[in-house]
Amino acid sequence: MLKKITTVAGVVLLSALTACGSGGGGGTASSGSGTITMGFAQVGAESGWRTANTKSIQDEAKAAGIELKFSDAQQKQENQIKAIRSYIQQKVSVIAFSPVVETGWDTVLLEAKRANIPVILTDRSIDSDDTSLYKTFLGSDFVEEGRRAGDWLVANASGPTNVVELQGTTGAAPAIDRKKGFEEKIASKPDIKVVASQTGDFTRSGGKQVMEAFLKSQPKIDVVYAHNDDMGLGAIEAIKAAGKVPGKDIKIITVDAVKDGMQALANGEINFIVECNPLLGKQLMELAKKVVAGEEVPNRVVTEEGTFTQEQAKAALPQRQY
Ligand code: AHR
């Protein structure tokens, strides 16, 4: 109890100090009660992963006693920028967001910095030379995820292998990095070729539509590399509609490991999944409390993740939360 009171008092004191401070961040708890207010600008609701991520953030904010102001940008950068500006106006204690795309954030983040509101990047990072614009970045190593997908293919491909790639949202960190990591690994096997690569915007319908086009334009497809489960699931529908057997006639590698993807892997329709953990809420709230209290936090917090084969998916499915 004593510890709790000390912490709250510390936050209030810090707010008073930073309100007239240098603009270097540190929090401006705004509710008047000492409660931390977080403005969270979410990407959208494009995938099963995103739904699980949103739930984790909402649940953990509640559990941590953090007042959450939540917005859904419907995968549009301009909506996220608007949401961030509105959080600045509302003088929230901390802003957290998962950037739809990597570039174009400096102006709005500078506004947050000048308003002395610390920013936490979660899930996706930004491409900016100014690392003072945010306190920390919590999320996966997307390049490593791409490498894991590439490693599996290098180990499992035999003979000439034509790959079609379903990319995530154009300009988004996971799309750029998962492509990069995958290409890095398959470069060691000249027999493996990416014959077509296009964005499916991380959605099931996008994956289906692009796969339908690939099936018409490509004479030989051996493997689909989808940057997330949802696009892989869309590709499965397109492959079946074309009279082929997903997982056998055309092998499928995806990223995420959400329940629907894991079920398809267990059924043999997907062949390998690289995990991307959406349950970032608890760590995010812990980091938020620290940055608002003016404590030092690491500038990068990497999420721990694994990979799944069919057998591993069957074993993990009964306990899968999302
Ligand atoms: O940024 C994480 C990615 O975004 C997930 O892999 C994907 O499913 C989501 O839409």
Side-chain angles (χ1 to χ4, degrees):
M1 185 64 185
L2 181 63
K3 198 171 170 213
K4 203 172 168 192
I5 291 169
T6 314
T7 312
V8 171
V11 171
V12 173
L13 175 64
L14 193 93
S15 304
L17 290 174
T18 51
C20 53
S22 64
T28 48
S30 61
S31 69
S33 61
T35 304
I36 294 173
T37 316
M38 173 185 284
F40 190 92
Q42 182 60 290
V43 169
E46 74 280 6
S47 61
W49 189 100
R50 190 64 55 195
T51 306
N53 179 247
T54 292
K55 186 174 180 319
S56 167
I57 286 155
Q58 291 173 334
D59 289 353
E60 294 296 339
K62 212 171 176 186
I66 291 180
E67 193 190 315
L68 185 70
K69 295 175 186 292
F70 183 89
S71 60
D72 173 339
Q74 300 181 333
Q75 288 186 278
K76 290 196 174 72
Q77 183 175 32
E78 64 263 33
N79 291 345
Q80 271 192 321
I81 291 175
K82 263 187 219 154
I84 293 170
R85 289 213 165 105
S86 120
Y87 296 145
I88 296 171
Q89 271 188 345
Q90 293 173 60
K91 295 185 169 51
V92 296
S93 321
V94 56
I95 292 171
F97 80 114
S98 171
V100 179
V101 290
E102 272 191 342
T103 55
W105 299 102
D106 284 38
T107 306
V108 71
L109 294 188
L110 200 58
E111 291 168 26
K113 188 178 168 182
R114 287 192 178 131
N116 206 30
I117 300 175
V119 170
I120 299 177
L121 302 179
T122 166
D123 163 34
R124 301 180 182 179
S125 189
I126 58 168
D127 183 1
S128 168
D129 293 334
D130 188 354
T131 51
S132 78
L133 294 176
Y134 55 93
K135 295 286 176 194
T136 182
F137 164 38
L138 162 68
S140 311
D141 181 341
F142 296 134
V143 178
E144 184 54 31
E145 290 173 351
R147 287 190 192 117
R148 288 175 182 169
D151 274 340
W152 183 84
L153 186 57
V154 167
N156 288 277
S158 54
T161 305
N162 286 357
V163 181
V164 295
E165 182 180 32
L166 295 170
Q167 291 184 40
T169 304
T170 306
I176 296 166
D177 293 352
R178 287 173 187 165
K179 182 175 183 54
K180 189 175 163 202
F182 183 76
E183 283 172 353
E184 186 187 307
K185 289 295 179 173
I186 62 164
S188 66
K189 265 212 168 177
D191 258 3
I192 302 176
K193 286 193 176 68
V194 177
V195 293
S197 179
Q198 211 177 299
T199 180
D201 212 11
F202 279 131
T203 65
R204 206 172 284 209
S205 58
K208 184 177 179 199
Q209 221 179 317
V210 176
M211 191 63 203
E212 281 166 356
F214 284 163
L215 285 160
K216 283 183 192 137
S217 64
Q218 296 300 322
K220 178 179 176 279
I221 299 174
D222 303 300
V223 173
V224 174
Y225 169 44
H227 289 187
N228 77 346
D229 287 347
D230 279 83
M231 291 190 295
L233 292 163
I236 288 174
E237 289 176 32
I239 292 167
K240 283 183 179 167
K244 294 184 191 265
V245 183
K248 291 201 169 62
D249 296 335
I250 299 180
K251 303 262 192 282
I252 303 180
I253 307 166
T254 65
V255 183
D256 276 356
V258 295
K259 236 182 199 160
D260 287 358
M262 293 284 270
Q263 190 59 61
L265 177 58
N267 296 346
E269 295 186 330
I270 289 179
N271 304 81
F272 187 66
I273 300 184
V274 177
E275 185 181 29
C276 179
N277 187 354
L279 306 181
L280 303 177
K282 196 169 191 313
Q283 277 172 297
L284 175 61
M285 299 311 148
E286 284 164 6
L287 287 166
K289 284 186 176 177
K290 286 186 178 162
V291 298
V292 171
E295 287 175 30
E296 283 296 309
V297 291
N299 55 14
R300 177 75 169 103
V301 182
V302 184
T303 321
E304 275 184 34
E305 301 167 331
T307 57
F308 292 94
T309 60
Q310 185 180 35
E311 289 317 308
Q312 289 165 331
K314 280 184 190 165
L317 258 172
Q319 296 87 41
R320 204 75 184 155
Q321 285 179 48
Y322 53 89

